[in-house]
Amino acid sequence: MKMHKFLQFLNQQLTHWRRQYTTLRRKGKLMRSPKGKTHRRELLRTMLKNLFLFLSKTNEKNERRKQERALRSKAKSVKTKSSIYTVGLDWAYKQRYSVILAIAVVSLTGIIGHKLYNQTQLQVGHPAPQTITAPYTASIEDQKKTEAERKAVSTSSLQVLMLDARINEKINENLQQLLDDGNEIRAVAGAFPFFDPVVLSISTQRYLRSCSESEWQALLLAVENSKNQQQKGIGQNTASSRPSFIAAPNQKRQPRITSKSDSQSLEKTEPVDFSQNTDFTQAVAELESYRLTTSEKSLSLVIAEISQTRQRYIQATAKLLKLETVSREAVYEESLLLDLSDVEWEKTQMGIHQSIERILTQGIPQGLPKNILQDAVSLQLQTFVPESAETLAKNLLLAVLKPNLQQDEEQTRQNAQKAAAGVPPVMVKVRYGEVIVKKGAQITAWNFEVLEHYRLIRREVKWQELVKLGGVIAIAIGIFVWVERHIDYELRQRDRLLVLLLTLSVPGVIVIGLPYTTWSALGLLLGSFYGPTLGLTVVGLLWPILGISLDMSKAALLAGVGGGILGSYIAQRLRSREELALLGVAIALTQGGIYLFVKILIGQIFGSTWYIVFQEAGLFALSGLGWSVVALGLSPYLEKVFDLVTPIRLAELANPNRPLLKRLATETPGTFQHTLLVATLAEAAAKELGCNVELVRAGTLYHDIGKMHDPLGFIENQMGGPNKHDTEIKDPWKSAEIIKKHVTEGLVMARKHLLPTAIQAFIPEHQGTMLIAYFHHQAQQMAQSDPSLTVDDADFRYDGPIPQSRETGIVMLADSCEAALRSLQASAKSVGEKRSVKDVSTEQALAMLNNILRAKWQDNQLVDSGLKREEMSQIAQIFVDVWQQFHHKRIAYPKLKASSAVRNL
């Protein structure tokens, strides 16, 4: 008995619950709410609870009433909650445009005006509203004094110097140039010593090469006289054997005689005696000794060689004088350079290189006194250079040496920071009750620090400033809305949300402290997704707002804006990822170049920190490239998530190797050929009318994919075989259903393969709500013969919608006209082989297409497409022109007789 009652109660409860659930579901409340599953679980839990109460209670009737009341209460609660939720969603959906605008204003104001949230009421330089005293004793750092002491220590810290390799290289180049000049002059003078030092001493050879012409002539005469006296045996009176020249005492050299006429004129003047010149006497003695030990012929050869050496010496001195005149600096002296032997000169050059290497390695600081540098050079040369060449080497080094130490700014700065960090903070003790600032007195920086320490600074949100900023942003958004309504691209709510998110990325990156903002990514993505007008509008509106509201470098702001403008303007013109990558490089160069140009204009590059400017310019260029790469990586995901179509994505979708298109070509070859012809017509019209050609091409390729559900149901795929509508179906209603199904099946395939909404729109809109005239006519004929049949036009019309854009409207017209043009061509061929497309008059084809387009217009299929009535004739003419290009006239080849053809074979 109890079991029977239990089962009866359970049946009632289940019936009652099922009715409640069916009611809720029919009204759409339970399933529409995302909490529907939760409510169903609660109802099930309530039912189980009722079962438990029934088994545990003895009073069945009372418990049943309680359970019924609980169920009614729960159902009412679910209904109420679901209704509130639905009403809220309905309201939000209706007001979605206003909601997004409000979100845009609030979010942009909140991020850009983040510094206005925690502003202080008490500020330095303003009068205190009341007398404020210290609430307790504390030691507070005097930041101003601490900073002053640390600055003093930082300034007095030693500078770190480093060798400048470029200066060293320049010094070595200048020194080598001087040594090369010296080598060239000595090469003109010839080798030295020019004769055997055993026969003629070095000093005698030096004298013979450099003495004046008068001395040389006197020396030759003395040698000749000595020879004559020896031959006559008169050698006692050496005084009488002297040449009759009177010489000035201690005179070593006289001005050279450079020509024979000078020598003759000198001989006519008063004779000069050179006997007091030690070099002259020694030279005569050594030459006489050589003659006595050898022969007269050998002496003549020596004298001839000395004469040649003297001529070369004169040329070398002339070249040296010319060099000193050009360089305006007397580094070489005749007696210093040419009097050195070849061995001494080699040692001198080697010693000079060793000395300068040591000096440059030790470094020459700026402001080094000249005498100290001279002493250092002399000290180094004593070790490496012969004593006779020290003066020459010293002149050479002092001519090229200059300071080669420069300040290592980075290391100096680090040392200064380290020294400053070692300075302890200056602490000031503030006692309890001590007056910090009196009422009406101006708040100083020290007062502010003390108040900040005691947390007596009153902070507040600057609502007035936030409202002003919000007003500016609202005006900017209003300008954006105005521009949006005047462009061809119609934004959806998801598009506005994406524009907002991309816009927020720029101030968002600045707020977190990065100076290298996302301008390049913003411009590249907006320009690629929505065109240059919208991208330039966003960048142009964001530029002044950030410049006024945020503390950032104007050079950095201009550099970022330049990159964003370039990306917005060019992005949508590109047709491949490779071109977009090159655009990223161009954006990087633009950002770096603008930053550097602005720094040049303000003169900052001409200071000591010029290398920092170049470094920052390079970083801005790299940031532009980096954000461009990020944008390229995010672009495919954003296209998927926000259902966007870009020229690049449309080109990828139009690739014939895409799965759907490969299936279409394989399973429905007739439909695929029809699709290609429609695409050709539609593209030509779209190009002439200024529509999106890439969208038209891709959309046309997918507009008939639904025919793959039943390929033989469409005549273009029957390949001349039997028509199943005439042989199998024989029911116009079923045939019309098959034809209409290619739209619904096409949408299913498109959604399954995640085609963009813009592409999916071509599938139903290319048919609109047109009448399937052939089967509609069959149905009417059947109805005439069978009065019981009723023909409803809705059964033979596509479900629509009609074309909602110019692109889908053009494809609808191209789809209808392609079939008509194909039928016209077929009829032309059926007349005879000699008849061509040219035989079918253009006027006939144009008239037929105009009739088709007029019928579409009168059927109200194009009222929402944006196409104009006057454009219909232009479209018809374009279609005819393309049709004629495809079906051009061919050469008529002569026919051969059968017998001749056989013989030729």
Side-chain angles (χ1 to χ4, degrees), residues 5-22:
K5 290 182 178 180
F6 168 73
L7 293 175
Q8 184 179 5
F9 170 75
L10 180 61
N11 185 38
Q12 292 175 353
Q13 290 292 93
L14 289 174
T15 302
H16 178 74
W17 177 80
R18 186 169 58 252
R19 289 175 180 175
Q20 292 291 334
Y21 180 81
T22 303

Side-chain angles (χ1 to χ4, degrees), residues 174-388:
N174 294 338
L175 175 62
Q176 189 59 47
Q177 182 63 44
L178 290 177
L179 293 177
D180 291 342
D181 292 339
N183 288 325
E184 186 177 351
I185 293 171
R186 286 182 60 88
V188 174
F192 185 78
F194 57 87
F195 201 72
D196 187 0
V198 177
V199 178
L200 295 177
S201 63
I202 298 294
S203 59
T204 298
Q205 292 186 46
R206 186 180 293 117
Y207 170 74
L208 291 174
R209 187 176 62 164
S210 61
C211 67
S212 64
E213 186 66 22
S214 60
E215 289 180 276
W216 172 244
Q217 294 298 328
L219 187 145
L220 293 177
L221 185 59
V223 172
E224 185 66 26
N225 290 337
S226 176
K227 171 186 174 184
N228 294 334
Q229 288 176 3
Q230 289 178 4
Q231 290 176 353
K232 293 178 181 181
I234 305 173
Q236 295 84 1
N237 189 2
T238 56
S240 62
S241 66
R242 296 174 185 167
S244 56
F245 291 106
I246 301 173
N250 300 326
Q251 180 180 5
K252 286 189 177 182
R253 298 184 184 179
Q254 297 292 334
R256 295 190 183 92
I257 300 173
T258 58
S259 65
K260 187 176 181 180
S261 60
D262 293 338
S263 177
Q264 293 174 353
S265 63
L266 182 60
E267 291 177 355
K268 294 177 183 180
T269 61
E270 184 179 356
V272 180
D273 186 10
F274 294 101
S275 61
Q276 301 297 323
N277 189 335
T278 306
D279 291 336
F280 180 86
T281 305
Q282 182 180 351
V284 172
E286 290 183 2
L287 288 173
E288 289 178 353
S289 175
Y290 181 71
R291 183 184 62 188
L292 293 174
T293 57
T294 57
S295 63
E296 191 67 34
K297 184 178 180 180
S298 298
L299 178 61
S300 299
L301 293 175
V302 170
I303 291 174
E305 185 176 354
I306 294 173
S307 298
Q308 292 178 1
T309 302
R310 286 176 56 79
Q311 292 299 323
R312 289 196 295 267
Y313 187 85
I314 291 171
Q315 295 176 3
T317 53
K319 188 174 183 62
L320 180 61
L321 179 62
K322 182 179 179 182
L323 176 64
E324 293 176 354
T325 303
V326 174
S327 62
R328 299 181 182 179
E329 186 176 0
V331 177
Y332 289 113
E333 296 181 9
E334 177 185 344
S335 60
L336 296 177
L337 177 63
L338 299 177
D339 289 350
L340 295 175
S341 66
D342 292 346
V343 175
E344 289 176 330
W345 175 243
E346 290 296 330
K347 291 182 179 179
T348 301
Q349 291 187 83
M350 188 179 300
I352 289 174
H353 283 299
Q354 293 174 343
S355 300
I356 200 171
E357 183 178 356
R358 284 194 174 189
I359 293 171
L360 293 180
T361 302
Q362 293 173 357
I364 305 173
Q366 295 283 349
L368 183 68
K370 189 174 183 180
N371 61 330
I372 296 179
L373 181 60
Q374 291 175 351
D375 294 341
V377 171
S378 299
L379 185 62
Q380 292 290 340
L381 292 175
Q382 288 177 2
T383 307
F384 301 107
V385 177
E387 184 178 357
S388 58

